[in-house]
Amino acid sequence: MRPASHWQWRLVAAIAAKEWRDRLRNRWVLAVAVVFGAFALLIAYFGGAQSGVLGLRSAAVTVASLTSLAIYLVPLIALLLGFDAVVGERERGVLDLLLSQPITRAELLLGKYLGLAAALAMATLVGFGAALVPLAPSMDLTALAIYLRFVGSALMLGLAFLSLAVLVSTVARDRTRATGAAIALWFGFVLVFDLSLLGVLVATAGSHASTWAPYVLLLNPADVFRAINVFGADALRSSFGLGTLTAQGWNAAATLYGVLLAWIVAPLGAALWRFR
Amino acid sequence: MNAVVVEIKGVVKRYGATPVVDGIGFSCGEGEMVGLAGHNGAGKSTLFKMMLGIIAADAGDILLFGEPVRGRRFREVRRAIGYLPEHVALYDNLSGLETLRFFARLKSADPAGCKDLLERVGLAGAMHRAVREYSKGMRQRLGFAQALLGEPRLLLLDEPTNGLDPEAIHDFYDQLQQLKNAGTTILLSSHLLAEIQSRVDRLVIMASGKLVATGTVAALAAASGLPAGLALTPREGARERVKGALLAAGLVPLDAPDGTVHAIVAKPHRMTLLRVLAGLSGDLQEYTLTEPTLEDVFLHHQRGTTWVERAA
């Protein structure tokens, strides 16, 4: 017979199912899907308005615009989704009751993450997927692949920030602090990081930048996401001024996806360790 | 004696340098109902959380069903425990039935039994309503139903009658009695010693994290040995006769401002008192004898020392 303390996926599933159902029921999934879908369509149709053009543009250009938007939006939504996963339960007083059940802390935390991740995945796939319906007829296979790559990497970006949010939630002493930490993370990764890097590049006049700057970008999941979607489109690299930031070797897609995956796994691992 | 279900030895929990639970030890046998009494902040809830393994003890041992709570068989141990936390909080967005089904899954209890449980705690009519709409008392009942999932052999109830009206409290203790008769061990806490003292088999009294006293209510009352207070209302002109009779019996009479004659009656004088009163029956309008409650003995006079220490 297996020892009773063996890992039990059944319990992980029970916790995940509750989180998932909660997000469906309070229409979180629907609301986020609508936001994603609406933005995708708006950008596809009106993204060229500033250059005096209306209507659908090439998938590469659309995805480049969508990428810039998703970098702000997706981390924010993921952080808001996950920051009170643990600390919120503690503050409401439910955590003690959960922890008194025949479940390990790791099972509880992973269940919460997976349930929230499923909700985020559903919203991302449905939202950007729905936008594909009007867009698809004007897309060829290459364009479709570019778009799908965008959706997939946006999902990974969201999961990475959800992972960070859950870590914040296990560390923060109360909900207020968790909110502050989540907002700080968003500012840090989405705004401050790139500005600082740009500042350093300008200050050093970009000397030897190609030897270190690309690696620094890997320290930011948002930049990895950008790299996946922008570097992939050769034609856009120069127009985004990223030509000089392309180091040899690491812009291979596998490395970028690997790093993004690490950004999903590592904070979650730290959260599991912290919550023991 | 029955099998030992709860065994607590020398348990200590500190937050910083302050001990919240300071060397507590006691045990509960199968089918026993034990009351854990103490003021708010006495360390009762912390002790419960350590018993459940939610927080770790800094020192000492806690064995439930002979197993360490945080040991390898923690799942079996916890499955056999029903816990009702103090200030029970549940999910506002779920209905009563959904709440129970969720916890039933976590506890590997049969979800088919959830409706019966809700009926048992008097929530059958509200099972499909969101917990958000529940009153404090209804939440407490739902919390109790949750604790009964999976037919636990040990119930840990932290201030279980919080928010219940007197009738509900009565029903609640009736249910506990049935569970106890069926062999369930029950440890329940209260800051109202008076409420539980007549309902439990044994009391464990805590103050400032320390064990103050433990035993049956009768034994504690006897051990406390506190004197009773006597107040006599003499008839017109009989005051001096009454006082003289008290003096003759070895009691010290005191004139109270309300015109009554007071005396402190220590344990050995209880029976003498009967004779004195019988002799004075023509001189008295009224008499009252005030017994100290256990609450007076153990909880109201905590001034840095425990009752046991003061008595020594």
Side-chain angles (χ1 to χ4, degrees), chain A residues 40-256:
Chain A
L41 285 178
L42 278 175
I43 282 177
Y45 278 106
F46 303 118
Q50 52 193 346
S51 46
V53 194
L54 280 184
L56 291 173
R57 297 169 298 159
S58 79
V61 176
T62 299
V63 163
S65 307
L66 268 177
T67 302
S68 304
L69 176 83
I71 275 186
Y72 292 98
L73 198 57
V74 171
L76 186 66
I77 283 171
L79 285 167
L80 288 177
L81 177 63
F83 84 94
D84 79 339
V86 174
V87 78
E89 300 274 65
R90 179 172 289 146
E91 215 148 280
R92 280 190 290 276
V94 191
L95 193 62
D96 279 345
L97 195 52
L98 287 176
L99 292 177
S100 75
Q101 304 297 321
I103 183 171
T104 65
R105 289 177 169 234
E107 287 160 350
L108 177 63
L109 192 66
L110 192 68
K112 283 197 164 284
Y113 181 81
L114 292 179
L116 295 174
L120 184 64
M122 182 75 159
T124 309
L125 298 179
V126 167
F128 289 125
L132 197 55
V133 175
L135 296 179
S138 57
M139 283 179 166
D140 57 12
L141 269 181
T142 322
L144 191 66
I146 289 173
Y147 189 83
L148 291 180
R149 184 183 58 200
F150 161 76
V151 177
S153 56
L155 175 56
M156 287 181 80
L157 177 67
L159 294 179
F161 274 91
L162 181 62
S163 191
L164 283 165
V166 169
L167 175 59
V168 162
S169 196
T170 57
V171 175
R173 214 176 311 157
D174 53 52
R175 218 165 160 268
T176 316
R177 278 169 226 243
T179 316
I183 291 172
L185 276 182
W186 184 79
F187 265 101
F189 279 123
V190 173
L191 298 176
V192 180
F193 190 92
D194 286 2
L195 276 180
S196 311
L197 186 57
L198 197 61
V200 172
L201 285 174
V202 170
T204 59
S207 60
H208 307 294
S210 60
T211 57
W212 58 268
Y215 301 100
V216 173
L217 286 182
L218 295 183
L219 297 177
N220 185 346
D223 282 328
V224 177
F225 166 73
R226 196 198 316 265
I228 287 173
N229 287 288
V230 176
F231 291 166
D234 289 330
L236 285 168
R237 237 184 265 167
S238 50
S239 68
F240 266 73
L242 288 163
T244 55
L245 288 187
T246 315
Q248 291 300 311
W250 68 257
N251 62 338
T255 314
L256 290 175

